[in-house]
Amino acid sequence: MPPIVHPGGLLRRASTVNPVLVRETARQHGVVNAPTRPLLRAISAAVALLLAAALSGCGLTIPADPDGTLESVTGAELRVGLSADPGLVGTDRDTPTGSIPDLVTGFADGIDAEIDWTYGSEETLVGMLERGDLDLVAGGFTSDTPWIDKAGVTRGYPEIDGADGREIVMLVPLGENAFLSALERHLDERVGSR
């Protein structure tokens, strides 16, 4: 009989090999029989489904807001920072004007929130957003914003009136993905996205 070749080298001739020893040695060296692969996949899928069911039973939703922004502003106060940008945001009155404030107002109406407006420079507003003093920052921010490591950023919206082809984005607190998703759904309905 020919010798049995094993990943670790030559074992013994087939007539003297213990089949249990061969299986155990193969298992220890990572050799998996082809029929066990579908079983492993089925077990992995079942574990994933059980984990998903367990998490959904705990009230976990995806996307989620670790700090609860969407929940805290719904039916309450939405703190919005605006940076002036000609054609998009006018801040020369008590109530801001332009297409961006109109979009933010529509979003606030959709979640039954009252808006508290704050005007400032981009740097000041992003700092306030990071500290938790604002829930949303808007203005002439574009998809190539330098604030990407300090804030969550919506998709770019070039169809906003006054954007002049720029892909306008809005900023939210980092990690607040349910809030970001709700804002993007509103923007998608109002101006579409690419």
Side-chain angles (χ1 to χ4, degrees), residues 106-187:
F107 174 65
D109 290 346
I111 59 171
D112 194 31
E114 295 293 323
I115 300 175
D116 178 22
W117 301 102
T118 300
Y119 303 144
S121 68
E122 287 187 9
E123 185 173 357
T124 298
L125 296 173
V126 169
M128 292 176 73
L129 186 70
E130 280 188 298
R131 287 190 305 275
D133 298 331
L134 294 173
D135 305 307
L136 172 65
V137 174
F141 298 92
T142 63
S143 56
D144 60 349
T145 181
W147 306 112
I148 193 129
D149 60 335
K150 301 198 178 287
V153 180
T154 66
R155 289 187 291 277
Y157 293 89
E159 302 302 321
I160 294 176
D161 288 338
D164 298 324
R166 297 178 291 167
E167 288 192 6
I168 301 300
V169 299
M170 294 185 190
L171 310 179
V172 302
L174 274 175
E176 298 302 283
N177 296 323
F179 182 64
L180 178 65
S181 293
L183 177 59
E184 285 182 332
R185 276 192 304 275
H186 171 74
L187 295 172

Side-chain angles (χ1 to χ4, degrees), residues 82-92 96-101 117 119 138-140 161:
L82 284 177
S83 179
D85 189 281
L88 290 172
V89 179
T91 58
D92 54 345
T97 59
S99 55
I100 297 288
W117 301 102
Y119 303 144
D161 288 338

Side-chain angles (χ1 to χ4, degrees), residues 9-118:
L10 189 63
L11 286 179
R12 293 186 186 151
R13 295 204 174 272
S15 63
T16 61
V17 173
N18 180 338
V20 174
L21 179 62
V22 170
R23 279 194 304 274
E24 182 60 24
T25 304
R27 186 189 63 75
Q28 288 177 359
H29 289 281
V31 177
V32 179
N33 294 333
T36 61
R37 286 194 181 115
L39 178 61
L40 290 175
R41 284 189 192 120
I43 291 171
S44 296
V47 168
L49 285 172
L50 285 173
L51 181 60
L55 289 175
S56 67
C58 295
L60 180 66
T61 58
I62 298 176
D65 284 346
D67 294 330
T69 301
L70 182 59
E71 185 177 325
S72 70
V73 300
T74 300
E77 181 181 66
L78 177 65
R79 301 165 303 164
V80 179
L82 284 177
S83 179
D85 189 281
L88 290 172
V89 179
T91 58
D92 54 345
R93 299 183 187 158
D94 289 339
T95 303
T97 59
S99 55
I100 297 288
D102 291 346
L103 287 168
V104 172
T105 300
F107 174 65
D109 290 346
I111 59 171
D112 194 31
E114 295 293 323
I115 300 175
D116 178 22
W117 301 102
T118 300

